[in-house]
Amino acid sequence: MTEERFSPLHQRHLDAGASFTDFAGWMMPVRYSSDLAEHHAVRTAAGLFDLSHMGEILVLGPEASDALDYALAGKLSVIEIGQAKYSLLLSREGGIVDDLVVYRTGEDRYLVVANASNREAVADELRDRCSPFDCEVHDESDDIALIAVQGPRALEILTEVPGVRVDGLDGLDGLGYYRSAHGHYGEHAMLVARTGYTGEDGFELYLAPEAAPALWDALLETGAGAGLVPAGLASRDTLRLEAGMPLYGHELSLDTVPSQAGLGRVVNLKKEGDFVGRAAIEAGPDDGARVLVGLTAEGKRAGRADYPVFDGETEVGIITSGALSPTLGHPIAMAYVAPDSADLGAELYIDVRGTRIPATVVSLPFYKRKA
């Protein structure tokens, strides 16, 4: 897409004084006040995110389950109605076209949520892969707005919003993790999900674009006393990095196979029949292929994307995402390194603008919320 696109909440962001960035052709809020303040709000109270740039693609019909079992790396036919599953769309060479969250919203109905930058590629691939099956693929992205409320007080806040109701549940606390339910905001139909991309509890609200501004206002008004603030993409990035969650274009790409990224468990080689990329996954990555690790360092100088990583005097990898962790107070990074340098506890070095900073290989995630 070459045309600049705007969220249905764009005026709300302007009114709130947001700074914007171009993200996959969309003008999206990068911050409202400060990255740190918004990050800490999500960790301690709640943050409100506009994710309307994400792609939403419906797959429906009698053979929708079989079609997705063939199209994706996971086995979608076994998930229950109301359940969600993280999955991967692989190329025939085993590379990652996109990582997805798939919701089963009916017996023969699935909602596939794609990254904004890959929306068209995912829709095109699903149409092609599903064409031999008795099902239909519809890109509904332009007809769906997406609002997320994330943080330890998300449940408390959303429960109190006037007009929000969820079908078939006594309360939102009955909605489990990686589950969804049909609901309403006023007279507007809404899908309420509980997944998240910040490492905190949280909810995603899918509804018609024309209803989104009123819901945004209601959430902010209801949550003001509980510490809810609007949060931009900058804080979302540091939150997901602390939680060890990969980002397409950084940790994931067409040149990455799932096992390199620690996502081998997402690929279901036990499911019956073929799926796109199966032969390549069974063959495995090339010998010596780099693997994703977590790195921590001391001080305040953080490695950033594309900074090289050394083992002694040998360059063995590259940073994919890095920051000074707002929650932990020290530098963290994810990096692809040679497998011989990937052992937990290995002492490596990050080249930060010509200075070698010692770093230690650690397990992911860097941060895990208390249950």
Side-chain angles (χ1 to χ4, degrees):
M1 291 180 292
T2 56
E3 292 185 9
E4 199 171 72
R5 307 195 70 187
F6 299 95
S7 158
L9 296 165
H10 187 70
Q11 188 60 49
R12 295 298 192 271
H13 306 321
L14 287 173
D15 294 343
S19 300
F20 292 88
T21 187
D22 184 319
F23 191 90
W26 290 77
M27 290 304 296
M28 299 301 295
V30 66
R31 70 183 57 82
Y32 299 84
S33 56
S34 79
D35 303 348
L36 283 176
E38 293 164 23
H39 181 109
H40 288 309
V42 175
R43 288 280 180 255
T44 60
L48 190 63
F49 296 88
D50 177 11
L51 304 179
S52 298
H53 58 311
M54 300 290 282
E56 292 89 14
I57 300 153
L58 290 179
V59 181
L60 63 160
E63 294 183 341
S65 295
D66 294 335
L68 288 177
D69 280 352
Y70 170 72
L72 304 181
K75 189 169 183 178
L76 284 305
S77 58
V78 299
I79 66 173
E80 303 170 354
I81 296 172
Q83 189 176 0
K85 188 176 183 65
Y86 179 77
S87 194
L88 298 170
L89 182 75
L90 302 178
S91 70
R92 282 158 179 80
E93 295 73 34
I96 300 172
V97 178
D98 200 16
D99 63 328
L100 314 160
V101 176
V102 183
Y103 299 93
R104 189 170 194 171
T105 58
E107 182 63 34
D108 299 324
R109 188 180 183 92
Y110 293 82
L111 174 66
V112 179
V113 181
N115 287 294
S117 58
N118 294 329
R119 165 191 164 182
E120 280 131 340
V122 171
D124 288 345
E125 283 292 337
L126 288 177
R127 290 188 190 101
D128 178 63
R129 298 178 189 193
C130 294
S131 60
F133 298 88
D134 186 8
C135 65
E136 300 174 2
V137 177
H138 300 285
D139 186 348
E140 300 289 322
S141 306
D142 292 337
D143 299 319
I144 298 175
L146 174 54
I147 296 172
V149 54
Q150 298 279 305
R153 303 190 73 174
L155 173 61
E156 168 193 342
I157 292 166
L158 188 55
T159 298
E160 297 298 322
V161 175
V164 170
R165 62 188 188 277
V166 182
D167 302 341
L169 296 175
D170 292 334
L172 276 169
D173 55 346
L175 187 65
Y177 185 55
Y178 260 70
R179 296 279 172 167
S180 70
H182 295 288
H184 287 81
Y185 172 59
E187 298 303 314
H188 295 276
M190 179 169 67
L191 183 71
V192 181
R194 197 173 193 175
T195 60
Y197 191 59
T198 63
E200 300 296 339
D201 188 19
F203 298 85
E204 296 76 44
L205 310 172
Y206 298 83
L207 75 169
E210 60 269 21
L215 178 57
W216 181 269
D217 293 344
L219 282 161
L220 285 176
E221 182 177 353
T222 302
L228 177 70
V229 301
L233 294 181
S235 63
R236 189 166 181 255
D237 191 48
T238 52
L239 289 159
R240 70 91 194 169
L241 173 57
E242 289 181 346
M245 295 180 175
L247 176 63
Y248 198 89
H250 288 251
E251 287 73 44
L252 308 179
S253 73
L254 277 171
D255 297 323
T256 307
V257 299
S259 60
Q260 289 179 266
L263 297 176
R265 67 190 183 282
V266 179
V267 182
N268 189 336
L269 290 173
K270 295 181 180 179
K271 64 180 177 179
E272 305 82 6
D274 195 16
F275 63 88
V276 177
R278 179 167 198 147
I281 296 299
E282 290 176 335
D286 296 336
D287 290 341
R290 291 175 173 179
V291 294
L292 188 68
V293 299
L295 295 173
T296 61
E298 297 181 354
K300 301 297 182 182
R301 300 190 68 184
R304 306 289 181 176
D306 298 328
Y307 285 12
V309 179
F310 288 81
D311 189 344
E313 295 302 314
T314 304
E315 185 173 338
V316 294
I318 191 167
I319 301 290
T320 52
S321 299
L324 178 61
S325 167
T327 303
L328 305 175
H330 59 74
I332 60 174
M334 289 194 279
Y336 276 101
V337 302
D340 291 344
S341 300
D343 292 339
L344 292 179
E347 296 296 330
L348 306 178
Y349 295 90
I350 303 171
D351 189 315
V352 180
R353 298 181 180 178
T355 301
R356 301 284 175 88
I357 305 296
T360 303
V361 176
V362 299
S363 59
L364 296 170
F366 302 103
Y367 164 87
K368 185 176 290 186
R369 69 185 175 98
K370 296 178 181 178

